[in-house]
Amino acid sequence: MLLFEDYRSKITDDIRSIYTDVDPSDVGFDRTGHADFAFRTFRISKSSGKKPDQILAEVSTVLSGRPYIENVSLEGPYINIRIKPSVMLRELDESVEIKGQFPDTFQDPERVSVEHTSTNPTGPLHVGRIRNTLLGDSIARILGRYGYRVTTQYFVNDSGRQIMALYEAYRRYNSGKKPSMDIILSGYQRIYGEMENDPSIENDIKELMNSYEKGDVELMDSIKAIASVALDNINTSLKSLGVKIDDYTWESDFIRSGELIEIVDSFSDILNDEDGAKYILNPDKEKIFLRRSNGTSLYFTRDIAYHKYKARTYDWIVDILGEDHKGHAKNLQFVLKDLMEMPNRIDFVFNAYVSLETGKMSTRKGNAVTVDELLERTKEEALKIVSEKRPDLPKDKLEKISLSVAKSSIRFNIIRINANKQVVFKWSEALNFEGDSAPYIMYSYARACGILKHAGNARPNYDDIVPQERELIVTMYQYPYRITEAKDSLRPDIIANYTLDLVKKFNDFYRECPVSGSDEKTMGKRIRIVQIYKNIIEDISKLLGIELLEEM
RNA sequence: GGGCCCGUGGCCUAGUCUGGAUAAGGCACCGUCCUUCUAAGUCGGUGAUCGUGGGUCCGAAUCCCACCGGGCCCGCCA
């Protein structure tokens, strides 16, 4: 959990001590610039018959006794509440100075698993997939920041039909050659083309699945070896964006262990049969198949086993899935919660698809922008720009800056959009580093570093706060509320959009409030403000995967 | 046919959960500011029937209903 002075709760509690029936949603941050907090009196006026100025008098009586309240005033039907900026600044400063961060985190014992990516190892990671990756990675980081003990998970498919096709392709076309991503991918694309005219392929795949399911260890190992080549390639791409997976689980592990058979057997009471295939019914009377008629297992059953595995270690299971998995997730939820009565909290986060202007992305059809390609081109573009802007810097520094800009931009552009919105990938947007972008944030950080480099020493001071300072302080103060919101709704885009708002406030401050050269009291105050800002941007950068630079 | 998601200036996005003060940013376009801590920045301007039509409410981008447009799903695939 997060530790900080929660004025919103305090104010809400005070108001509710007078009007017990007040709706907490009537007390909140004001977004219109009238105050810090606003209390809407409509409902209380109606229920109590009191006029707004009577309500103001009563609310003022309670709130004016609080040391953090600056003033309480009435504007139409709104009671506007302002917090003393010096108190907020002191709160921020002491947290940063003493705890090293604002807000401070109290380590929660609860353990959380965040599964993301889990893409089939059949080809290089592409732009359509990393939306899932980056969502999951940021969610994991946000939950960790909030205080949970978080582990990221990747479920590796080395058992499905697609992987058998991949392996069969390698065996037919490239047997004996050292497997590489190119060889694997081209074979995979080729076999789906030839399958239509050559029924022997289908038969061979079926045969492979049978041997596999019977526990042919040699076959399992061979397939795992091929899948590993693709997985290594994917992992290299993940690493290039700063994504780390803590735990890989292979689907084949549950076949080897015999657990899948136990799971199907455990449903014997409600199991139905269709030509030897086994299924159960969901509440909508739709069939959920658990085993094929030829006895081989299905992804759904392997996923049950995987979730049983996760439930042994984690209190809270979070799965990031493509929106095409909504049906799968609904059924999984039904089986785990209703049938197996799993007590763990389970949440699914869905991401809508990223398409190209030319249509859908597909590994099989070779119609996709890979992560490596995206990173390469973005880096080139960044290098062009930074070389123009900073001809004074040496080559290696320019390279370093462009790489950080590229990684950060890619992550930020994807993460700042609400996950259930469909996205069309456009190079013109990916290569734009102006406006609402990662470099905008990074640049403001570099400016903050510049200020601190130029400023001298001065004793901290919290007095005589001017409007631009106040706006920045209030926005920084809101940070823990935004972390909490993002954690509750599992939405990193909330943090991304908050950050843009925060940077704008910092830019206003930067323009209007010189630090070095100002009198000692003013400088003492502004150095503290800049240091807090720097600290919060550093904190946020870890949540969003932005690589900050002291100069750029 | 059934289910889920999305629709906000020319383009992209926030706000929708929890209804409330002038609908907030960015791109593009026009104009401004580098003798002061980095101009990847700043300030100002043009530009929005919040998909359409009903309804609820003192009050609707936000809630309800219908419809339209786009996406996804409805496999013994994953």
Side-chain angles (χ1 to χ4, degrees), chain A residues 26-76:
Chain A
D26 278 336
V27 185
F29 285 105
D30 169 58
R31 291 179 190 160
T32 61
H34 289 79
D36 299 325
F37 296 94
F39 169 39
R40 293 185 280 265
T41 59
F42 301 93
R43 259 183 278 268
I44 293 304
S45 272
K46 203 172 180 182
S47 66
S48 67
K50 288 176 181 162
K51 293 205 172 103
D53 51 346
Q54 280 177 281
I55 299 172
L56 172 71
E58 291 175 343
V59 169
S60 293
T61 307
V62 180
L63 289 182
S64 60
R66 304 299 185 191
Y68 45 85
I69 296 290
E70 184 172 61
N71 67 52
V72 182
S73 63
L74 188 72
E75 215 170 314

Side-chain angles (χ1 to χ4, degrees), chain A residues 181-381:
Chain A
M181 189 74 256
D182 285 346
I183 286 178
I184 291 172
L185 179 62
S186 63
Y188 184 62
Q189 289 166 344
R190 180 176 164 190
I191 201 166
Y192 273 93
E194 295 190 1
M195 209 180 275
E196 291 166 26
N197 309 315
D198 185 352
S200 75
I201 295 176
E202 190 73 39
N203 285 334
D204 286 354
I205 290 174
K206 272 185 190 155
E207 225 156 88
L208 280 176
M209 290 175 78
N210 273 326
S211 322
Y212 195 97
E213 201 76 22
K214 284 180 188 133
D216 181 335
V217 175
E218 207 175 309
L219 176 63
M220 281 182 167
D221 289 344
S222 306
I223 288 177
K224 195 166 175 174
I226 296 291
S228 293
V229 172
L231 186 63
D232 284 349
N233 182 283
I234 290 167
N235 280 334
T236 305
S237 301
L238 289 176
K239 207 175 160 194
S240 74
L241 290 179
V243 176
K244 187 179 162 289
I245 307 284
D246 299 316
D247 186 21
Y248 294 86
T249 304
W250 296 78
E251 288 193 13
S252 57
D253 293 349
F254 300 114
I255 297 176
R256 290 176 202 246
S257 71
E259 206 172 337
L260 298 185
I261 295 166
E262 287 171 29
I263 287 171
V264 177
D265 287 349
S266 72
F267 294 118
S268 57
D269 294 351
I270 51 169
L271 211 54
N272 301 289
D273 189 287
E274 187 176 305
D275 304 327
K278 303 295 178 193
Y279 68 90
I280 52 180
L281 293 174
N282 74 8
D284 296 327
K285 304 290 172 220
E286 296 159 337
K287 294 170 184 172
I288 308 174
F289 281 91
L290 299 178
R291 188 188 288 161
R292 292 193 182 88
S293 52
N294 65 7
T296 58
S297 67
L298 289 159
Y299 162 68
F300 189 86
T301 315
R302 296 193 287 268
D303 211 21
I304 293 173
Y306 183 39
H307 282 78
K308 279 181 72 178
Y309 158 80
K310 290 196 273 195
R312 284 197 285 273
T313 313
Y314 303 99
D315 307 289
W316 183 12
I317 296 166
V318 178
D319 293 350
I320 320 297
L321 301 169
E323 65 175 345
D324 54 331
H325 277 58
K326 280 184 179 177
H328 172 83
K330 189 187 72 178
N331 285 336
L332 190 64
Q333 170 101 356
F334 162 70
V335 170
L336 298 175
K337 303 302 282 187
D338 296 355
L339 299 184
M340 301 172 75
E341 295 176 351
M342 193 175 274
N344 314 57
R345 176 175 173 190
I346 300 174
D347 281 295
F348 299 97
V349 176
F350 300 102
N351 64 286
Y353 272 41
V354 180
S355 58
L356 297 174
E357 285 171 284
T358 52
K360 283 186 209 170
M361 284 193 219
S362 161
T363 305
R364 237 182 260 176
K365 292 175 184 148
N367 175 33
V369 176
T370 66
V371 169
D372 298 353
E373 184 187 352
L374 174 63
L375 185 57
E376 191 50 42
R377 276 188 68 176
T378 309
K379 199 186 121 189
E380 270 171 32
E381 183 70 15

Side-chain angles (χ1 to χ4, degrees), chain A residues 366-434:
Chain A
N367 175 33
V369 176
T370 66
V371 169
D372 298 353
E373 184 187 352
L374 174 63
L375 185 57
E376 191 50 42
R377 276 188 68 176
T378 309
K379 199 186 121 189
E380 270 171 32
E381 183 70 15
L383 183 62
K384 232 184 284 172
I385 292 169
V386 71
S387 303
E388 269 170 37
K389 290 183 191 294
R390 298 300 303 271
D392 57 310
L393 294 178
K395 184 107 199 314
D396 61 328
K397 199 140 198 178
L398 295 176
E399 290 277 348
K400 187 178 178 294
I401 292 173
S402 348
L403 182 59
S404 294
V405 165
K407 286 159 89 167
S408 306
S409 294
I410 291 168
R411 291 191 62 130
F412 190 79
N413 282 341
I414 292 171
I415 218 64
R416 76 187 190 89
I417 312 278
N418 190 319
N420 42 31
K421 229 162 179 149
Q422 44 203 78
V423 166
V424 177
F425 175 84
K426 295 194 181 98
W427 279 107
S428 62
E429 285 170 8
L431 300 180
N432 177 29
F433 304 129
E434 285 172 8

Side-chain angles (χ1 to χ4, degrees), chain A residues 170-180 183-184 186 190 226 229:
Chain A
Y170 173 74
R171 216 175 56 165
R172 283 179 175 240
Y173 314 132
N174 298 299
S175 188
K177 287 188 202 156
K178 187 174 184 293
S180 70
I183 286 178
I184 291 172
S186 63
R190 180 176 164 190
I226 296 291
V229 172

